[in-house]
Each structure stands twice: as C-alpha cells, then as structure tokens.
Amino acid sequence: MEVAHNFWVLRRLAGCLAVASVALLAGCGVLPSGPAAPVTPAVVQPKPAPKPPRIGVALGGGAARGFAHIGVLQVLEEQGIRPDVVVGTSAGSVVGALYAAGKTPTELATMAMSLDESSITDWVFPGRSLLKGEALARFVRTHTGGKNIEAMRVPLGIVATDLQSGQPILFRRGDVGTAVRASSSVPAVFEPVRISGREYIDGGAVSPVPVRFARQMGADVVIAVDISAIPEGMPVKGPVDILLQTYNIMGHAISQFELQDADVVMRPKLEGIGSTEFSARRLSILAGREAALMVLPQLKERIAARTR
C-alpha cells in the first residue's frame, strides 16, 4: 500500500512540473531555439554639413574709378569670401574678367599700378568715336590667357546693351575681349561693337550695376559694388569729361532701382575722382577696401542667414 501511495505522489509531482514548464515557456512567448542574438545598437546618421550660399559679385561701371573694384576683391579674399559668380558692366567687366580668369586681387593691384594707358587706347577720331576699342579687347585677351568666357575659373557674365533694341544682353560664352569691349563702349568715346550682326554699346546704359544678372546666374547672396556716385566738386575739364559725367549721372539714377535687389551694396567714396582720373588708381583701390570693410559685418550676417 505504501509503495502505491508513493507512486501516486510521484505522478502528481511530474504532472505539476510539466504544467509549470509549459506555462513558463508560454510566458516567454517563444521557444528557445539556440543562443540569444546579439543586440545591434541603432546607427545614428550624422547631420549633413551646412551648405554655404552661392555668392555673386556685381561690379558696376565707372571708367577709371573701376580700380575700386580691386580693393573690394582684396578684402573679400582676406576674409575668405570667394565669389562663385562674377558679373561686370563696363569697367566692372574688365576687372571681373581678369579676376574670373584666375588673377588674384594682389596681382590685379600690381597690374593696376603698372598699367600704361596707351596699351588700352587706340584713337580713331575723326569717325564714329574717339577710340576704336580693339586695344582694350587685346589687353583683356592677353591677361586672361585667351580663354573664352565659358572657360573661366569663376563663372563670368558680361553685360552690354543692344544698340538697336535698347535691351541688355548677358554674354556667357565667346571671346572675352570682344564682350568686354562691347560692355565698355561708352557712346561717342568707343565705337559700337558688332557681334553676330548686332551692334552693342556700354552695358551701363541699361544695367550700371548688374545685380539682376548675378541673380540670373544663380547667386543666393549678391554683393553690389556701385562706383557710379557723382564726383561732387570735380571740375569738368573738357568735352570727354562732360560726356562721361553726363553718362555717369544717368547711370547713377538708373542703378538705384536695381540695387534694391542686392543683399549688400558697397559704395566706395570716390569724391573728387573723375572717370578719366587714371592717376588716382591707388586712391580708388583704397576707397574700395574701405567700402568693403564698412559693410563686412552686414555681409557676414547675410551669408550666415542663407547657409542651410
């Protein structure tokens, strides 16, 4: 009897253990099939680096006062601000083409101080103008290494005016010397330039500071350099000075509308420096530097605000 009782107890105990085992496995939700898989930590993707805005420089016209553009470019380079787009009108097209081809601001300043005016003048009077303009085109071709506009190190745009339609034209391709000559052809001073059957004159007639074209070329932040301010107190010495002063007054008035679309406007103080004052090139460069330094904090704020 005692043996039977013990057997009955063992069976009950075995049944309880079986039930407990099933309950335990059910509570785990899965039946173990092997060693536990290692836990892989979640991969955190790094944030992409901020994308800086495309910076465009719109260099305005103003004949000999264009040396001020060099001072502006010097300050930008010193601050590590390198333009992604350069657009120029008239004098601005000359400096812009040389810079876009790879000339550093330091090299431009050296070129300016050693410039022989006779190398860019070719008198043709009497005729349709005083100067032909081919000497200027030759000068630009020589110092840009004969590169076409589309082959420049920095994307370049050169603005001229269609003489027949009065519309601005942005040259993005072709011979840089011819385009600069067209952009700089102040009526009655330089001959109009014929390109593909059309005649072109100074871009300052319609776009003295080409802000809109810098935008058109993809600039997010546009730096406008306005050298068209009227040189108050500057005596007008002769017919050419009268013509250039009149042209400058018109350009100054026209440019005020386009400058409204610029992020930063630099206005070098060029009082007393006329459009034919090549002897004041050092003062013009210094004026460009001062104008750039004055608005540098504003420029850095605009660049930071457009960085994304």
Side-chain angles (χ1 to χ4, degrees):
M1 177 69 70
E2 184 178 352
V3 172
H5 176 74
N6 290 341
F7 179 74
W8 179 82
V9 171
L10 289 173
R11 287 186 64 185
R12 291 292 303 271
L13 179 60
C16 290
L17 288 174
V19 170
S21 298
V22 172
L24 178 62
L25 292 174
C28 294
V30 293
L31 294 175
S33 59
V39 177
T40 303
V43 178
V44 178
Q45 295 294 337
K47 292 183 178 180
K51 184 180 179 181
R54 285 174 58 81
I55 298 172
V57 178
L59 304 177
R65 282 177 292 179
F67 292 111
H69 293 315
I70 297 174
V72 168
L73 293 172
Q74 284 180 335
V75 171
L76 293 180
E77 183 181 76
E78 291 164 5
Q79 295 296 319
I81 301 172
R82 290 180 170 77
D84 300 291
V85 170
V86 178
V87 187
T89 291
S90 197
S93 74
V94 179
V95 176
L98 297 174
Y99 178 76
K103 297 290 184 186
T104 67
T106 300
E107 291 172 331
L108 290 176
T110 301
M111 288 177 60
M113 298 311 301
S114 60
L115 177 65
D116 180 0
E117 292 175 50
S118 65
S119 65
I120 57 173
T121 54
D122 44 4
W123 299 95
V124 293
F125 185 80
R128 298 178 70 189
S129 63
L130 299 176
L131 300 170
K132 182 176 179 61
E134 184 52 40
L136 174 61
R138 238 182 353 256
F139 174 86
V140 172
R141 288 190 201 103
T142 298
H143 291 283
T144 56
K147 298 176 184 176
N148 278 350
I149 299 171
E150 66 272 20
M152 295 295 173
R153 184 174 300 179
V154 180
L156 172 66
I158 296 174
V159 180
T161 304
D162 187 312
L163 183 59
Q164 283 73 41
S165 69
Q167 295 298 311
I169 177 71
L170 178 66
F171 289 107
R172 295 287 309 277
R173 302 182 63 82
D175 179 64
V176 66
T178 302
V180 167
R181 177 186 169 191
S183 180
S184 305
S185 292
V186 178
V189 177
F190 286 96
E191 282 187 357
V193 178
R194 182 171 290 274
I195 303 173
S196 300
R198 307 287 293 183
E199 285 193 313
Y200 296 94
I201 60 171
D202 194 311
V206 288
S207 186
V209 188
V211 173
R212 72 183 113 160
F213 294 107
R215 294 279 186 211
Q216 182 177 315
M217 289 178 63
D220 301 309
V221 174
V222 177
I223 304 166
V225 187
D226 178 16
I227 58 173
S228 67
I230 301 169
E232 297 178 7
M234 186 69 193
V236 180
K237 300 174 182 178
V240 175
D241 290 314
I242 293 172
L243 175 62
L244 291 175
Q245 177 73 331
T246 302
Y247 197 73
N248 184 58
I249 292 170
M250 295 168 58
H252 180 67
I254 295 170
S255 66
Q256 302 314 302
F257 296 98
E258 197 162 2
L259 289 173
Q260 295 175 12
D261 192 38
D263 290 277
V264 173
V265 180
M266 299 179 180
R267 292 186 174 91
K269 295 181 179 179
L270 298 166
E271 291 84 357
I273 300 177
S275 297
T276 58
E277 293 293 321
F278 282 86
S279 60
R281 61 194 77 177
R282 184 182 296 276
L283 291 176
S284 295
I285 292 173
L286 290 175
R289 289 187 59 87
E290 292 173 1
L293 289 169
M294 186 176 299
V295 300
L296 192 58
Q298 179 188 353
L299 174 58
K300 289 184 175 180
E301 286 179 5
R302 289 301 180 95
I303 293 174
R306 297 292 180 89
T307 299
R308 57 192 187 281

